[in-house]
Amino acid sequence: MIISSWNVNSINVRLPHVLDWLGKVKPNVLCLQEIKCIDEKFPRQAFEDAGYHCEIFGEKTYNGVAIISDSKPDSVQRGFLGEKEPFSRRFIEAKFGNVSVLDVYIPNGQAVGSEKFFYKLNWLKALKNHLMTEHSPNDLLAICGDYNIAPEHRDVYDPVEMKDQILFSDEEKDALKDIQNWGLVDSFRLFNDEAGHYSWWDYRMNSFRRKMGLRIDHIWVTESLSKHCTQSWIDIEPRKLEKPSDHAPIAARFEF
DNA sequence: ATGGTGGATGGTCCA
């Protein structure tokens, strides 16, 4: 089973890249973030023609998540329980057999100390609360998505320049560590200890060509699911195409 | 030097 994730920065602009990638990698599940459209404008038919099922939680202009899968999930939850409108659509979860797949688009946070920064920290608390109330660390569970946090020094191109900056501040990393301590492991780090592997590069300043990136997209899994994980990787090829997303897709393979 | 690029939108907001 391959579970994957991609912040596409508009599903309608990125549709050709996503369909091409699905055909090449053939993941069983693809979690999308930043689809940037309401459910009615999601290109559902194109995915169904490719043999995939769509569970969409979109909104106009901003955010929006969706779970694409080769089999219909047994259950789906949109947003956190008890969350009241208006809220940004950044969370959708689907269960496939006994495997729970959580698709997250963690807020960017704009700048350390800003209003959006505290919104981000609060959102992380809500995610932790969701795990504590709706799941057990013994579940077969994966959290896939754009975390908008680089967990360690080796995940950023320049730890000195990034120190105390958004996406790498101690407060963000501590909040994420708190979630990790619930019982999660970073699937990518099960197989690769090297620095210099990134999943996002700013569109500006030729960041991709200059290898100035961050590893902020992740598939974190519970201990029990990690025992089935045989591969976890970042596919930077789509980032090289014309009109790319600023994020690369990531994927992990599980054998049961 | 607070720049720059891209997406949705239709003037700016967001990343």
Side-chain angles (χ1 to χ4, degrees), chain A residues 11 71 106 122 144 160 195:
Chain A
I11 187 56
S71 68
I106 294 175
N122 280 331
C144 310
V160 175

Side-chain angles (χ1 to χ4, degrees), chain A residues 2 4 20-27 52 233 235 251 253:
Chain A
I2 295 179
S4 60
D20 183 57
W21 193 77
L22 280 178
K24 281 181 177 142
V25 178
K26 303 190 191 328
Y52 283 92
W233 72 99
D235 186 357
R253 184 189 302 275

Side-chain angles (χ1 to χ4, degrees), chain A residues 3-6 21 25 154-155 186-189 191-192 194-201 208 213-219 231-240 246-253:
Chain A
I3 298 175
S4 60
S5 174
W6 198 351
W21 193 77
V25 178
R154 57 185 169 168
D155 299 316
D186 182 341
S187 67
F188 184 79
R189 291 304 183 195
F191 306 99
N192 196 322
E194 296 171 353
H197 292 275
Y198 310 129
S199 66
W200 171 85
W201 302 259
F208 183 66
L214 306 176
R215 196 174 68 90
I216 58 175
D217 299 85
H218 308 289
I219 298 173
Q231 193 185 1
S232 183
W233 72 99
I234 304 168
D235 186 357
I236 68 166
E237 291 308 310
R239 189 63 176 79
K240 301 173 181 172
D246 44 353
H247 294 255
I250 59 173
R253 184 189 302 275

